Amino acid sequence: MSEGERELYSVGDVAELLGLHVRTVRNYVRTGRLKAVRIGKQYRIAREDVEALIGGTADPDPSQGERSRKAPGDRPSVEASTIVRIDPVDPDTAHRLVTLVTASVQPGRAGGGGPRVQTIHEPECSRLRIVLLGSPADTAELLTLIDSVLAPGSGLFPTHTAPEETRDDHR
């Protein structure tokens, strides 16, 4: 490839290269996390922008048939993904929990952009899903936060107590 040419990938190519779902890559493009150029009805993503997303270089390794990441330093790149399902949850509680978790994410931490959080609230079945992507340590911190907030007595969830029986102490 000559110096003036840029290597461009389709959304499908980037998804395959990074081991992500096509919808995830499209969401990254829509939210501005991954730069892309729209040509007609399709996005094209420059190699440099893919490398900026992963924090290293994305070189397909022909000997392995998969991508290889060359991150700065000797430490390999590790990412954990976790899906937390919470049900039943009412819309107000889901909103409070989503706000708490997304506000606790600290962008710009050393070693990367911090964990990424995506949430899906399904009010028709009173379910909340929280998708966490990040280093194992960052993901563990968020899981600990979620666990502590969901613990009985945390105050996030309204307590549902059975109505007290009327007592007749005057017998």
Side-chain angles (χ1 to χ4, degrees), residues 9-43:
Y9 297 112
S10 69
V11 169
D13 293 339
V14 172
E16 185 177 326
L17 183 69
L18 300 180
L20 299 171
H21 195 279
V22 174
R23 277 187 264 167
T24 303
V25 175
R26 281 194 201 114
N27 284 336
Y28 286 173
V29 170
R30 286 188 196 115
T31 60
R33 185 163 175 205
L34 177 62
K35 290 183 187 177
V37 175
R38 190 171 184 132
I39 301 174
K41 293 183 178 183
Q42 297 181 344
Y43 289 110

Side-chain angles (χ1 to χ4, degrees), residues 131-142:
V131 181
L132 307 173
L133 300 162
S135 74
D138 289 342
T139 303
E141 284 180 29
L142 286 172

Side-chain angles (χ1 to χ4, degrees), residues 10 12 22 25-26 42 51 53 62 66 73 87 99 106 111 113 115 121 126 129 131 136 140 153-154 156 164 167 170:
S10 69
V22 174
V25 175
R26 281 194 201 114
Q42 297 181 344
E51 291 172 354
L53 176 72
E66 292 187 11
D87 57 354
T99 301
Q106 301 172 2
H121 182 234
S126 300
R129 294 176 198 260
V131 181
S154 69
L156 178 69
E164 289 186 29
R167 299 165 90 184
H170 300 290

Side-chain angles (χ1 to χ4, degrees), residues 54-57 69-77:
I54 64 173
T57 59
R69 292 185 184 182
K70 295 177 186 169
D74 295 332
R75 189 171 183 187
S77 175

